[in-house]
Amino acid sequence: MGLLLKGGVHSGNLQAALFSLVLTGGGLLITQRAYSQRLLPRRSLQLGAMVGNTAYFGLPEALALLPPEALSFSITYDLVGTLVTWSLGPLLLTGERARPLQLLQQLLRTPVVQALLVALPLLLSPWRTPIATALWWPARLVLWLMLLLVGMRLGLLVGQRIAAKGLRPALLIKLLGLPLFTLLVTQSLGWAPLLRDALVLQAAAPTAMSVLLLAEASPPKSRESLPAAQLVLWSTLLSLISVPLWAWLLAQATVAM
C-alpha cells in the first residue's frame, strides 16, 4: 500500500497494465499449445517461464536501477502479473476448470488485492501525501526483508543438480526471451523510455517464488515442486548477471535516442 501511494497514478499506468496482462496471460495461453509443451513438458516450468518475481525482486530492482518516477509502472506490472498468477496459476498446475466464486475468493485473499482495495480510496483522498510519506520507509524495509526471505528459501535448494527436462528453455524464455520481446514491442510502439525501462526490467525478473508455493500446494507435489524449485533457484542466481546487463542495454538505448 505504501508503494502504491508513493508511486501514484500516471498516464502510462494503463499501458503498463495492458502490457503485463498480454505478456503474462497471453504467454500462459501460448504455453498450452502442443509445440510449447514439447519444449516445456512440466506445468510448473510453463508457469515459471512466464511469471516473474516482480514484487520481491522486481520492485527492489526498480528502486535501485530506475528513477523514482518509474516505480508506478513497475508496481502496475507487478499488480497485474500477480493477479494473473494467482488466478490462472493454480488452474494450470492442477488442470482444473475455473470456478468464478472460488477464483474470486482466492484473489481476495492475496495481499496485493487487499492492498489495492485500501490504497485506491486513499489515492483520491486529501491524506494521500502524509500517509505515503509515513509508509515509504516501512515499505522499503519490508522489501529488503522479503529479499532476505527469498535468499533463505533459495538456500534450502542449493546443491540440487539441473535435472528437470525443459529447465534450460524455461530459463532462456524467462531471462532473455520475455525482456527482449518487451524491449522490441515498447520500442516499436514509441513508448517513453521510463515506461520502457520499467517494463523490460520487470519482464527480466527471475521466476516468482509463488510458482514454487503453488507447485508445492498442487497434487502431486513431487512431480511439480522440484522443477519449480530448480527454476526459481537458477533464474534468481542468473538474474544477478542478466538484470544488470539489461539495465546497461537500456541505458545505451536511451543515450542513442
Side-chain angles (χ1 to χ4, degrees):
M1 188 175 71
L3 292 172
L4 283 169
L5 293 175
K6 185 68 174 181
V9 178
H10 305 285
S11 58
N13 285 106
L14 180 59
Q15 294 166 286
L18 291 175
F19 186 85
S20 179
L21 179 62
V22 170
L23 184 67
T24 309
L28 290 178
L29 293 177
I30 292 175
T31 61
Q32 302 312 296
R33 310 297 296 177
Y35 59 85
S36 297
Q37 294 182 348
R38 287 193 294 269
L39 190 67
L40 304 170
R42 295 296 180 89
R43 292 178 177 178
S44 56
L45 295 179
Q46 297 164 16
L47 179 62
M50 296 298 164
V51 174
N53 193 353
T54 52
Y56 300 169
F57 191 99
L59 293 183
E61 162 194 290
L63 288 172
L65 299 174
L66 296 176
E69 296 79 13
L71 180 62
S72 177
F73 307 136
S74 301
I75 293 173
T76 302
Y77 185 105
D78 171 59
L79 286 172
V80 176
T82 301
L83 294 178
V84 172
T85 302
W86 287 95
S87 57
L88 298 182
L91 301 176
L92 190 153
L93 289 172
T94 60
E96 297 178 356
R97 290 189 175 183
R99 288 180 287 180
L101 182 58
Q102 180 184 9
L103 187 61
L104 179 61
Q105 291 175 342
Q106 185 167 322
L107 288 176
L108 289 175
R109 286 196 297 267
T110 59
V112 66
V113 173
Q114 295 170 359
L116 188 62
L117 292 175
V118 176
L120 284 178
L122 290 176
L123 282 170
L124 304 175
S125 75
W127 307 289
R128 171 196 163 182
T129 300
I131 294 177
T133 302
L135 293 178
W136 180 230
W137 278 107
R140 286 191 285 182
L141 176 61
V142 168
L143 283 179
W144 295 119
L145 291 175
M146 286 180 171
L147 274 178
L148 292 176
L149 180 62
V150 171
M152 290 188 291
R153 187 65 179 86
L154 293 178
L156 300 175
L157 307 175
V158 173
Q160 295 182 356
R161 294 180 299 171
I162 300 180
K165 183 181 179 182
L167 180 61
R168 290 180 178 85
L171 288 170
L172 289 173
I173 292 171
K174 186 70 207 71
L175 299 179
L176 297 178
L178 293 188
L180 178 59
F181 176 81
T182 303
L183 176 60
L184 294 176
V185 170
T186 52
Q187 284 282 82
S188 64
L189 294 176
W191 288 0
L194 204 59
L195 174 59
R196 177 204 64 194
D197 295 354
L199 295 180
V200 170
L201 290 182
Q202 286 294 82
T207 298
M209 291 292 295
S210 56
V211 174
L212 177 56
L213 299 177
L214 290 171
E216 290 178 337
S218 64
K221 176 181 175 181
S222 59
R223 180 177 176 81
E224 297 295 344
S225 59
L226 180 58
Q230 291 180 336
L231 183 55
V232 169
L233 172 63
W234 287 103
S235 65
T236 303
L237 293 177
L238 292 173
S239 68
L240 299 177
I241 300 173
S242 63
V243 166
L245 289 176
W246 280 114
W248 175 83
L249 181 62
L250 292 170
Q252 300 305 308
T254 302
V255 170
M257 291 178 63

